[in-house]
Amino acid sequence: MTKLKGAAVFGQSGGPTSVINASASGVFQQALKEDLITEVYGAAHGIRGILEEDFYDIRKETQEELDLLKTTPSSALGSVRYKLKDPSVDDTDYKRILEVFKKYNIRYFFYNGGNDSMDTTNKISKFLAKSGYECIVMGVPKTIDNDLFGTDHCPGYASAARYVATTIMEIYHDARVYDTPMITVIEIMGRNAGWLTAASVLAAYKGAGPDLIYLPEVPFTMEKFIKDVRKVFDTKGGKVIVAFSEGCKNSEGKYIAEMGATLSKDAFGHAQLGGAASVLADILKNEFKCKVRGIEFSLMQRCGAHIGSKTDVDEAFMAGQEAVKAAVSGITDHMVAFERVMVDGKYTCQPKLINLSHVANTEKTVPLEWLNKDQNFLTDDFISYALPLIQGDSHPPYVDGLPHFAKLKKVSVPKK
Amino acid sequence: MTKLKGAAVFGQSGGPTSVINASASGVFQQALKEDLITEVYGAAHGIRGILEEDFYDIRKETQEELDLLKTTPSSALGSVRYKLKDPSVDDTDYKRILEVFKKYNIRYFFYNGGNDSMDTTNKISKFLAKSGYECIVMGVPKTIDNDLFGTDHCPGYASAARYVATTIMEIYHDARVYDTPMITVIEIMGRNAGWLTAASVLAAYKGAGPDLIYLPEVPFTMEKFIKDVRKVFDTKGGKVIVAFSEGCKNSEGKYIAEMGATLSKDAFGHAQLGGAASVLADILKNEFKCKVRGIEFSLMQRCGAHIGSKTDVDEAFMAGQEAVKAAVSGITDHMVAFERVMVDGKYTCQPKLINLSHVANTEKTVPLEWLNKDQNFLTDDFISYALPLIQGDSHPPYVDGLPHFAKLKKVSVPKK
């Protein structure tokens, strides 16, 4: 492929994280430097912005705001949950994308997201290639779920993990002040992979963590759960902290939350979860006749940029830069991934590229051998894996004692 | 009163805060310096530790741990919710306290807490005085509720306020990423006073806050609430953020949470609140047929030391020191309070002393003139009040990327 010259478009997709904007900053700042890239566009609300020609001109943004993006949580361009149909069934959207790309001479397409978004990226890449339109397509990983295939870890995970571990340490101190029994059930995000819930063990590593940890990788049974809680309750003076993944299911594949509420479904057909903590709290209250508190980390765990991991922020920025560097070198149809390389026993993170077809829709779960025998706690192997990722304190600059977040000008590109 | 020489005991009471240990640090470090104070004891679980002669010897603690207390959330000595009876009805506990004080030659009693605890402190002070036992009694204020009478503000409030404002700013960014309607209802602590919920307006001051704020000071009606939400929904593209106090009640004095759950009561007869967010979320979901998320800040808001206000931490420490300084100067039966003194237009905080009888059981609520005409938002007067309090970033030292909290040795004092 001869080197392509043209505009670049970048979009954000899926649930936001604390560092998805750090990747945006990396893409933008690198793209603005590249001679082959004539224009740098941000797509409003991901793929929808492309379909609707809703682009922001990133050249109009200041260096200061682009730098502030590194510590600004959530998706500054707006995100989307929009499922492209299989092109063999309905290629309307793909044709429209091709039309828009041609119109704006878009030759570089960067898409930042998780499993579903990489599937979207892959389908677009294959369609463009098939149609003969020369365009570099590059995926940038992102997910607090840490479940993308082919990468040691995913940008966004470590900052959410640092939020989870730090907050549980604080809750641990709070939940033990009275000399009466108290059970605390903390619900943590993660649809099918328990990586984020597993991070709660880092608080235990610091001596102030959960007693029991339940991941969706292990089929859940209420009987064993109550037995587990009883054992801790009896040996630790009635003080129990449970970290629980929202994605835990029983052997019939039924979510715990379904026992308490009817589930609605999002655009991808995934069940919208939440509520497991209050369901379990009710059951435990009835069983143990003591104070039980159900806590849901809700949106806070994925947008807590004030307790971000500097390692995560730096790597997310780097992932964005690397995507652009690889793209202008002529590589297409790949996603940037991370390889852990130990140098003199010290953690380093090296970028690598993996084929989009390999990553799309493949979920990476927590290895079962990293769980203890009772499958209700994590071993030191997990701690060795996760601890290097949460090193370094990242937070936004504070003005008036509060975060100063980026506020992009979002100058619209005139429609063609 | 001649200057008293003897042991000092300090206890922590009521719900923990991010900075109650900072006050403990102030009391301990000052008491250890004073010649009149022969021993420095920490009471385990507040008044219960006194009744049970369960004391820690603070002289056995290291300077490093006493310093770490300043950034360690929750009550390091353990807290308690124990209501002393009226001494005219049953003075058993008071006699026991007197007995213990005599046995250990306790001549200085410092008690750290909120309204209920100051009532306890006041009753003990009056009983000791009446019984002729010479003992200095001094209250140290503490409450995230900020509802203590006679003080400009209370230690613990500002750090919780900074947590609330920062977290809402992050949620604001998260809750707006999709191009579809979404209503977010955030439930914030505060039994009868809306100070902490009001602090959510600081996020709005920074351009990323709630659209509507509901305090317990204003009787709540569901009809007006839905009308208010509708107005924002229609004018802001379906994006609404509501900050809601757990203490909101309708005109019959019924909590919103009571509409969804049966309430249990704590030892002081206060209703245990929580659940308003999910009740309201259900109602709004039904009304607006869009995505609605109920979020409860739960324990996190009162133990989030990693996002503490340095002003708050410093003032809490100072309050502890001042209590000891006043005590050894011979003053008794008072609580340390704060006076706001503007020097060259700049906020400063001066300690003052107020009579325990005046502070006990009197609640200070948010002035209604600081609410807007619709009584669903705060005015600039509140912002001017609250903003100086949250200045400065305080967090624990980080080791392994996670908080390093104090771990007291808690060497028990041999029982006499």
Side-chain angles (χ1 to χ4, degrees):
Chain A
M1 195 187 263
T2 50
K3 291 218 167 166
L4 290 169
K5 192 158 184 159
V9 67
F10 170 79
Q12 298 175 317
S13 176
T17 77
S18 283
V19 306
I20 184 166
N21 287 329
S23 289
S25 184
V27 166
F28 292 154
Q29 300 210 35
Q30 190 64 36
L32 288 168
K33 280 184 207 160
E34 300 291 349
D35 292 335
L36 291 172
I37 296 177
T38 52
E39 302 291 341
V40 181
Y41 299 148
H45 298 290
I47 207 70
R48 198 184 292 275
I50 296 172
L51 293 168
E52 294 170 5
E53 298 176 53
D54 193 357
F55 298 132
Y56 304 125
D57 187 349
I58 302 303
R59 288 194 190 278
K60 298 292 198 308
E61 304 296 340
T62 63
Q63 182 65 39
E64 191 195 343
E65 296 301 317
L66 293 180
D67 284 337
L68 273 176
L69 277 181
K70 290 176 78 170
T71 48
T72 300
S74 191
S75 308
L77 304 172
S79 188
V80 70
R81 289 195 188 274
Y82 182 83
K83 199 167 174 66
L84 288 182
K85 293 200 177 69
D86 192 304
S88 65
V89 176
D90 180 354
D91 63 359
T92 316
D93 283 343
Y94 299 88
K95 283 180 175 162
R96 171 68 184 148
I97 291 167
L98 177 61
E99 181 188 32
V100 173
F101 276 24
K102 281 180 178 170
K103 208 161 31 159
Y104 291 81
N105 190 35
I106 289 165
R107 297 292 176 173
Y108 295 93
F109 173 46
F110 302 99
Y111 210 44
N112 194 180
N115 282 310
D116 295 323
S117 312
M118 288 307 128
D119 179 52
T120 299
T121 314
N122 185 43
K123 283 175 179 157
I124 293 172
S125 179
K126 301 300 183 283
F127 183 86
L128 293 175
K130 211 175 135 190
S131 69
Y133 180 76
E134 285 193 314
C135 183
I136 300 276
V137 177
M138 195 63 71
V140 183
K142 167 246 60 145
T143 171
I144 61 164
D145 292 342
N146 202 39
D147 60 352
L148 280 168
F149 174 81
T151 184
D152 178 76
H153 58 282
C154 304
Y157 170 62
S159 291
R162 188 163 183 250
Y163 173 92
V164 164
T166 302
T167 305
I168 292 186
M169 286 182 72
E170 292 175 338
I171 289 174
Y172 174 95
H173 280 78
D174 191 294
R176 304 180 89 79
V177 292
Y178 299 117
D179 51 357
T180 44
M182 167 147 166
I183 304 173
T184 310
V185 181
I186 300 166
E187 179 176 344
I188 299 165
M189 281 181 173
R191 199 182 289 129
N192 296 310
W195 294 101
L196 192 54
T197 305
S200 64
V201 79
L202 298 175
Y205 168 77
K206 294 286 289 179
D211 304 287
L212 299 164
I213 303 170
Y214 296 90
L215 309 187
E217 281 81 354
V218 180
F220 179 86
T221 71
M222 196 60 80
E223 297 69 32
K224 179 174 178 297
F225 173 71
I226 291 173
K227 220 176 113 189
D228 289 352
V229 173
R230 172 79 60 198
K231 200 168 156 190
V232 178
F233 190 90
D234 290 345
T235 52
K236 293 198 177 175
K239 298 275 195 287
V240 190
I241 297 181
V242 178
F244 194 88
S245 171
E246 64 171 359
C248 284
K249 293 174 280 287
N250 66 15
S251 55
E252 285 107 57
K254 203 169 178 169
Y255 290 108
I256 309 312
E258 284 180 283
M259 297 170 66
T262 319
L263 284 174
S264 52
K265 298 207 177 213
D266 73 8
F268 282 95
H270 305 310
Q272 283 198 18
L273 305 181
S278 55
V279 171
L280 291 176
D282 276 350
I283 291 169
L284 293 176
K285 214 174 282 179
N286 194 44
E287 189 76 23
F288 288 85
K289 314 286 181 207
C290 74
K291 188 161 183 173
V292 183
R293 208 180 253 271
I295 295 178
E296 208 183 322
F297 280 168
S298 193
L299 300 182
M300 291 84 89
Q301 64 200 300
R302 70 180 192 193
C303 63
H306 73 272
I307 187 76
S309 151
K310 190 169 182 309
T311 301
D312 190 23
V313 171
D314 291 345
E315 289 177 358
F317 184 80
M318 180 264 278
Q321 286 182 308
E322 290 299 323
V324 175
K325 286 181 193 170
V328 295
S329 82
I331 300 170
T332 186
D333 208 31
H334 280 73
M335 181 189 83
V336 175
F338 293 154
E339 190 162 357
R340 179 184 304 236
V341 181
M342 300 303 282
V343 178
D344 298 331
K346 234 184 129 241
Y347 165 91
T348 67
C349 174
Q350 303 297 331
K352 62 175 183 178
L353 298 172
I354 53 172
N355 200 297
L356 275 175
S357 306
H358 297 161
V359 67
N361 284 322
T362 314
E363 276 176 329
K364 188 180 80 172
T365 52
V366 178
L368 289 180
E369 58 268 30
W370 286 1
L371 276 87
N372 67 344
K373 213 185 75 190
D374 284 346
Q375 299 195 308
N376 58 17
F377 213 72
L378 277 294
T379 65
D380 288 349
D381 286 336
F382 176 82
I383 295 172
S384 304
Y385 167 81
L387 203 55
L389 309 180
I390 63 158
Q391 296 308 302
D393 182 43
S394 171
H395 60 77
Y398 293 121
V399 178
D400 288 332
L402 291 170
H404 183 60
F405 292 135
K407 206 171 169 116
L408 296 183
K409 280 191 223 144
K410 294 191 179 176
V411 177
S412 287
V413 175
K415 288 200 183 180
K416 292 191 179 176
Chain B
M1 196 187 264
T2 50
K3 292 218 167 165
L4 290 168
K5 191 158 184 158
V9 66
F10 170 79
Q12 298 175 316
S13 176
T17 77
S18 283
V19 306
I20 184 165
N21 288 330
S23 289
S25 185
V27 167
F28 292 153
Q29 301 210 36
Q30 190 63 38
L32 288 169
K33 280 184 207 161
E34 300 291 349
D35 292 335
L36 291 172
I37 296 177
T38 52
E39 301 292 340
V40 182
Y41 299 147
H45 298 290
I47 207 71
R48 198 183 291 274
I50 296 173
L51 293 168
E52 295 170 4
E53 298 177 53
D54 193 359
F55 298 132
Y56 304 124
D57 186 348
I58 302 303
R59 287 193 192 279
K60 298 292 199 307
E61 303 296 339
T62 64
Q63 182 65 39
E64 191 196 345
E65 295 301 317
L66 292 180
D67 283 338
L68 274 175
L69 277 181
K70 291 176 78 170
T71 48
T72 300
S74 191
S75 308
L77 304 172
S79 189
V80 70
R81 289 195 188 274
Y82 183 83
K83 199 167 173 67
L84 288 181
K85 294 200 176 70
D86 193 305
S88 65
V89 176
D90 180 356
D91 62 359
T92 317
D93 283 343
Y94 298 89
K95 283 181 176 161
R96 170 70 184 149
I97 291 167
L98 177 61
E99 180 188 31
V100 173
F101 276 25
K102 281 181 178 169
K103 206 159 32 158
Y104 292 81
N105 190 35
I106 289 166
R107 297 292 176 173
Y108 294 93
F109 172 47
F110 302 99
Y111 210 44
N112 194 181
N115 281 310
D116 295 322
S117 312
M118 288 308 127
D119 179 51
T120 299
T121 314
N122 185 43
K123 283 175 179 158
I124 293 172
S125 179
K126 301 299 183 285
F127 183 86
L128 293 176
K130 211 175 136 191
S131 69
Y133 180 77
E134 285 194 314
C135 182
I136 301 276
V137 177
M138 194 62 71
V140 184
K142 168 248 56 147
T143 170
I144 61 165
D145 292 342
N146 203 39
D147 60 352
L148 281 168
F149 174 81
T151 184
D152 178 75
H153 58 283
C154 305
Y157 170 61
S159 291
R162 189 164 182 249
Y163 173 92
V164 164
T166 302
T167 306
I168 292 186
M169 286 182 72
E170 292 176 338
I171 289 174
Y172 174 95
H173 280 78
D174 191 295
R176 304 179 89 78
V177 292
Y178 298 117
D179 51 356
T180 45
M182 168 147 166
I183 304 173
T184 310
V185 181
I186 300 166
E187 180 177 344
I188 299 165
M189 282 182 173
R191 199 182 289 130
N192 297 310
W195 294 102
L196 192 54
T197 305
S200 65
V201 80
L202 298 174
Y205 168 76
K206 294 287 289 178
D211 304 287
L212 299 164
I213 303 170
Y214 296 91
L215 309 187
E217 281 81 354
V218 180
F220 179 85
T221 71
M222 197 60 80
E223 298 69 31
K224 179 174 178 297
F225 173 71
I226 292 172
K227 220 176 112 187
D228 289 352
V229 173
R230 172 80 59 199
K231 200 168 155 189
V232 178
F233 190 90
D234 290 346
T235 53
K236 292 198 177 176
K239 297 275 194 286
V240 191
I241 297 181
V242 178
F244 194 88
S245 171
E246 64 170 359
C248 282
K249 293 174 281 285
N250 66 15
S251 55
E252 285 109 56
K254 202 168 179 167
Y255 291 108
I256 309 312
E258 285 180 283
M259 298 169 64
T262 319
L263 283 174
S264 52
K265 297 205 179 216
D266 73 10
F268 282 95
H270 305 308
Q272 282 198 20
L273 304 181
S278 56
V279 170
L280 292 176
D282 275 350
I283 290 169
L284 293 175
K285 214 175 281 178
N286 194 44
E287 189 76 23
F288 289 84
K289 314 285 180 206
C290 74
K291 188 161 184 174
V292 183
R293 208 180 253 271
I295 295 178
E296 208 183 323
F297 280 167
S298 193
L299 300 182
M300 291 84 88
Q301 64 199 299
R302 70 180 190 191
C303 64
H306 73 272
I307 187 75
S309 151
K310 190 170 182 309
T311 301
D312 191 23
V313 171
D314 291 346
E315 290 177 358
F317 183 80
M318 180 264 278
Q321 286 183 308
E322 289 299 323
V324 175
K325 286 182 194 170
V328 295
S329 82
I331 300 170
T332 186
D333 207 31
H334 279 73
M335 182 189 82
V336 175
F338 292 153
E339 189 161 0
R340 180 184 304 237
V341 181
M342 300 304 282
V343 178
D344 299 331
K346 233 183 130 247
Y347 165 91
T348 68
C349 175
Q350 303 297 331
K352 62 176 183 178
L353 297 173
I354 52 172
N355 199 297
L356 276 176
S357 306
H358 298 161
V359 67
N361 283 322
T362 314
E363 275 177 330
K364 188 181 79 171
T365 52
V366 179
L368 288 179
E369 58 268 30
W370 286 1
L371 276 87
N372 67 344
K373 213 185 74 192
D374 284 345
Q375 299 194 306
N376 58 18
F377 212 71
L378 278 294
T379 66
D380 289 348
D381 287 335
F382 176 83
I383 295 172
S384 304
Y385 166 81
L387 203 54
L389 310 180
I390 64 158
Q391 297 307 302
D393 182 43
S394 170
H395 61 77
Y398 293 121
V399 177
D400 287 333
L402 291 170
H404 182 60
F405 291 136
K407 205 170 171 116
L408 297 183
K409 280 190 223 146
K410 294 191 179 175
V411 177
S412 287
V413 175
K415 288 199 182 180
K416 292 190 180 176

